[in-house]
């Protein structure tokens, strides 16, 4: 089937100007033209455009994309495997960034006693103060907020690295339990829900079962928290929320 440049632009979510540019630099030349000289793209052209967009999303320059796609030793499956590997690395990085956001959203501006170099080591390029104003607006009048602020203001680099390691370790285990097929209201999931509550209590504020179930509801109501857990594993936000509620009912 043949497609006009306008149809391809609409389907792929790019501009006609972009397609013209790709043609001019030899990155994506249409397989045919009409008698009047108008571009006509076929299915193979659209498949190449999809690969181009994947690599662009991953930050590759156009010149490098052309070299990759024109490599005679690489087949379509190889491109997909490579993109999968690159996206997996990117997802892990995004998970780490969102985990840092979770810390920031549960406390106020923390006055973290870290040098710029130490901040980068702990948080990467995420600024833990960026959501301070929203956190204060949402929780500024609560005892938990004040206690979290008090504790966090005393933490140094080693403390934040320990918090990060504990959360990453817990995250790997809750994902594994979910993947095993264990029910959210079963002992394994509830034990990890309880550990989640204790981590918050240990590092930020005394997290009662009432507060914890409120957080569980927020993990589903606030798309940022939902995205964080869904990036760890599809369905994890709902799974964790259910485990937290079951744990609270059992233990409270």
């Amino acid at each position: 089937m043949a497609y006009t440049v306008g149809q391809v632009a609409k389907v792929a979510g790019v501009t006609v100007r972009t397609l013209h540019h790709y043609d001019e630099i030899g990155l994506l030349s249409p397989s045919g033209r009409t008698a009047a000289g108008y571009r006509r793209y076929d299915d193979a052209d659209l498949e190449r455009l999809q690969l181009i967009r994947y690599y662009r999303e991953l930050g590759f320059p156009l010149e490098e994309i052309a070299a990759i796609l024109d490599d005679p030793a690489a087949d379509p499956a190889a491109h997909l495997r490579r993109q999968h590997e690159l996206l997996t690395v990117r997802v892990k990085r995004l998970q780490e960034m969102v985990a840092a956001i979770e810390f920031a959203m549960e406390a106020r501006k923390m006055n973290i006693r870290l040098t710029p170099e130490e901040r980068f080591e702990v948080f990467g390029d995420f600024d833990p103060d960026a959501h301070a104003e929203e956190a204060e607006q949402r929780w500024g009048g609560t005892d938990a907020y004040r206690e979290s602020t008090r504790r966090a203001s005393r933490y140094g680099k080693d403390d934040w690295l320990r918090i990060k390691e504990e959360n990453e370790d817990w995250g790997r285990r809750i994902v594994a339990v979910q993947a095993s097929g264990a029910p959210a209201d079963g002992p394994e999931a509830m034990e990890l829900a309880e550990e989640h509550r204790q981590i918050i209590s240990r590092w930020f504020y005394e997290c009662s079962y009432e507060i914890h179930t409120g957080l569980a509801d927020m993990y589903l109501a606030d798309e940022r928290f939902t995205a964080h857990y869904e990036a760890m594993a599809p369905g994890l936000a709902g799974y964790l929320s259910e485990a937290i509620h079951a744990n609270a009912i059992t233990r409270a």
Side-chain angles (χ1 to χ4, degrees):
M1 182 174 179
Y3 305 88
T4 67
V5 66
Q7 289 173 324
V8 173
K10 184 176 181 179
V11 169
V14 299
T15 66
V16 170
R17 183 187 181 105
T18 295
L19 292 174
H20 287 175
H21 178 62
Y22 287 174
D23 185 11
E24 290 166 1
I25 65 175
L27 179 60
L28 178 65
S29 297
S31 296
R33 289 181 179 269
T34 67
Y38 293 113
R39 296 171 174 84
R40 285 293 184 268
Y41 297 83
D42 62 16
D43 291 337
D45 297 329
L46 267 62
E47 182 177 338
R48 183 179 174 94
L49 177 57
Q50 184 179 45
L51 292 173
I52 292 169
R53 292 192 64 212
Y54 286 157
Y55 280 118
R56 285 296 286 164
E57 181 65 24
L58 290 165
F60 282 72
L62 296 179
E63 295 81 1
E64 188 170 349
I65 295 173
I68 293 170
L69 295 183
D70 293 335
D71 181 358
D75 59 21
H79 288 305
L80 291 174
R81 284 193 299 270
R82 177 175 184 176
Q83 289 165 348
H84 182 273
E85 292 169 359
L86 293 169
L87 285 170
T88 299
V89 172
R90 183 171 180 178
V91 166
K92 182 176 184 298
R93 177 63 185 134
L94 289 172
Q95 289 173 354
E96 293 171 352
M97 292 174 67
V98 176
I101 291 174
E102 183 171 8
F103 290 143
M105 293 296 292
E106 290 177 356
R108 71 172 293 196
K109 190 171 183 177
M110 294 177 179
N111 298 317
I112 299 170
R113 297 180 289 106
L114 299 177
T115 67
E117 292 78 11
E118 290 171 334
R119 276 176 172 261
F120 187 81
E121 180 178 349
V122 174
F123 296 107
D125 53 9
F126 169 73
D127 180 2
D129 295 341
H131 296 270
E133 184 176 350
E134 181 180 352
E136 185 168 6
Q137 289 174 351
R138 293 178 68 170
W139 300 298
T142 65
D143 292 337
Y145 178 86
R146 287 188 287 270
E147 176 63 14
S148 180
T149 301
R150 185 187 66 79
R151 293 192 199 182
S153 66
R154 302 198 309 262
Y155 293 157
K157 171 187 171 182
D158 291 342
D159 298 306
W160 289 106
L161 286 173
R162 194 172 302 114
I163 292 169
K164 180 181 178 183
E165 290 168 2
E166 282 190 19
N167 275 275
E168 289 178 348
D169 175 66
W170 173 87
R172 285 189 291 269
R173 287 183 285 122
I174 188 70
V175 168
V177 167
Q178 181 199 22
S180 74
D185 59 354
E188 292 177 288
M190 286 196 294
E191 188 63 33
L192 284 166
E194 176 64 16
E195 184 178 336
H196 181 269
R197 187 185 71 84
Q198 291 176 2
I199 289 173
I200 296 172
S201 295
R202 182 162 57 252
W203 291 104
F204 295 103
Y205 52 83
E206 187 58 38
C207 184
S208 67
Y209 290 105
E210 181 180 5
I211 291 175
H212 202 210
T213 55
L215 290 175
D217 293 339
M218 184 178 66
Y219 295 159
L220 296 178
D222 189 315
E223 63 183 14
R224 290 165 294 188
F225 288 98
T226 303
H228 165 57
Y229 289 111
E230 292 300 299
M232 293 172 65
L236 184 60
Y239 185 84
L240 175 59
S241 180
E242 184 178 345
I244 289 173
H245 277 280
N247 182 63
I249 292 170
T250 302
R251 297 177 188 260

